[in-house]
Amino acid sequence: MTGDHDALDEQADRWLVDKVRGGDMDAYEVLIRRHRDRIYRIALRMLGDSHDAEDIAQDVTIQLWTAVTGFAGSAAFTTWLYRIVVNRCHNHRRGRRRTRPVLDTDPAPTPGADDAAITREQSAATLRSVAALPPPQRAVLVLVQMEGLSYREAAAVTGESEATVRGRLHRARKALITDMRSWS
Amino acid sequence: MTTPDPDRLRCGRTTDDILDQVADGRGDQRDGHQQSCPHCQAVLGEYDRLWAPLRTLAEEQVTAPDGLLDTALARVRGAVAQTDYGIIDGPQGVTRIAARVVVVTARESAQEVSGVRVALSKYLHPTLAARPTHPHGRHTLPDAGPEVTAGVAGRSTAIEITVAADYGHDLLELSERVRAEVTDRVRALTDLEPVQVTVIIDDVLD
């Protein structure tokens, strides 16, 4: 059922993309709104910062209008979209290097705080740990571990081999588990 | 004497394999060895606990803030409103050619025709360019001066050129040469098909 739904979504995306390539702005708006949560979510998980993620989402929205003419249609639209957003995140990261350690300004969970607050803080800290990974490892971790892409799909997005994707994912997992252990 | 591998348990299994097992969500799918091995069970339990925040993060429903993309979409809409495009489908994708590119191409090619003193260009918004024209080809816009305008739809383009001619030329023959030159050049350089080329001789200069 999920597969059918995904297939229908892909069909709808392709139909919209064809309209956009013909200059249909309404189709573009629909296409963007269908994927806005995905765009924002990837950026948030790649960068670990909601403001940066918002910047990326807006940049991608503008960039896609012209970039969509280069969408060959040989891959799923979502795969192509992942590539655009991930690459944009890499460039954003390179252009705005942080000058402070990412964990310095954020307090650890405090005793007595309610469960929701702890969960929020834990999520934020986890995001920061992910964001601290080297970009190639981070991209693979976000794509496979969080977005649920297969190794093949992640390889298509990153332009690497499946073996490289597996290796990077494992190194990312080892780095994170080490980081998580330091919280204990 | 060899150094013990820190990633290998005393039972012979590796922590790397167990980490992938847990991270892949297969932590509870324990094989026969793991069901009875205290070393594997200890590491499985530890990794399952440590990996829990990653699982939580992956399961979170993330939604973009309301109105986040409205500004960006408005910017795209604004840019589109100022541009009219010709669309050329190719095997590797689509090429968009802005109407103003056709305008410049038409103006430059008209300018090179012997007998044309000057050909001016000005981009008109498509909604204005599409307005009915005078029976003799002039724009009905009151401020329409010497200019080249172009409207494109799909692969077709319609061009209007207004020129000032040198005195002494056969104006009908001149307009035919301008039309032929512009048609050939636009077709060659942009791959768009000029389906209508209107030439307006606006003035004759000594």
Side-chain angles (χ1 to χ4, degrees), chain B residues 42-146:
Chain B
V43 176
L44 278 163
E46 173 73 351
Y47 282 180
D48 188 62
R49 181 181 68 82
L50 293 172
W51 198 253
L54 266 301
R55 273 198 300 273
T56 303
L57 187 65
E59 290 166 359
E60 271 182 6
Q61 296 292 316
V62 178
T63 56
D66 287 342
L68 169 64
L69 302 181
D70 290 351
T71 304
L73 283 169
R75 283 182 61 186
V76 176
R77 276 195 182 280
V80 172
Q82 296 168 14
T83 309
D84 192 12
Y85 287 100
I87 309 292
I88 300 171
D89 272 313
Q92 301 297 320
V94 170
T95 302
R96 280 197 190 126
I97 297 180
R100 60 178 174 273
V101 174
V102 180
V103 165
V104 172
T105 303
R107 182 192 64 203
E108 294 294 327
S109 53
Q111 187 70 61
E112 291 177 10
V113 174
S114 173
V116 172
R117 179 75 67 88
V118 61
L120 299 180
S121 67
K122 181 178 74 172
Y123 177 73
L124 282 186
H125 189 280
T127 55
L128 298 179
R131 287 178 62 164
T133 54
H134 188 274
H136 298 295
R138 284 182 186 277
H139 251 283
T140 55
L141 293 174
D143 60 347

Side-chain angles (χ1 to χ4, degrees), chain A residues 6-17 31 34:
Chain A
D6 288 347
L8 285 175
D9 272 353
E10 180 59 28
Q11 284 182 350
D13 283 345
R14 285 176 183 273
W15 184 81
L16 287 167
V17 166
L31 186 67
R34 283 166 61 89

Side-chain angles (χ1 to χ4, degrees), chain B residues 132-166:
Chain B
T133 54
H134 188 274
H136 298 295
R138 284 182 186 277
H139 251 283
T140 55
L141 293 174
D143 60 347
E147 62 197 3
V148 180
T149 65
V152 288
R155 200 186 177 94
S156 301
T157 181
I159 304 164
E160 184 178 278
I161 309 159
T162 304
V163 300
D166 287 329

Side-chain angles (χ1 to χ4, degrees), chain A residues 29 37 45 123 145 173 180, chain B residues 23-24 54 57 60 64 77:
Chain A
E29 186 159 343
D37 287 344
R45 289 171 170 173
S123 291
Q145 195 78 56
R173 286 169 168 174
M180 300 292 169
Chain B
D24 285 340
L54 266 301
L57 187 65
E60 271 182 6
R77 276 195 182 280

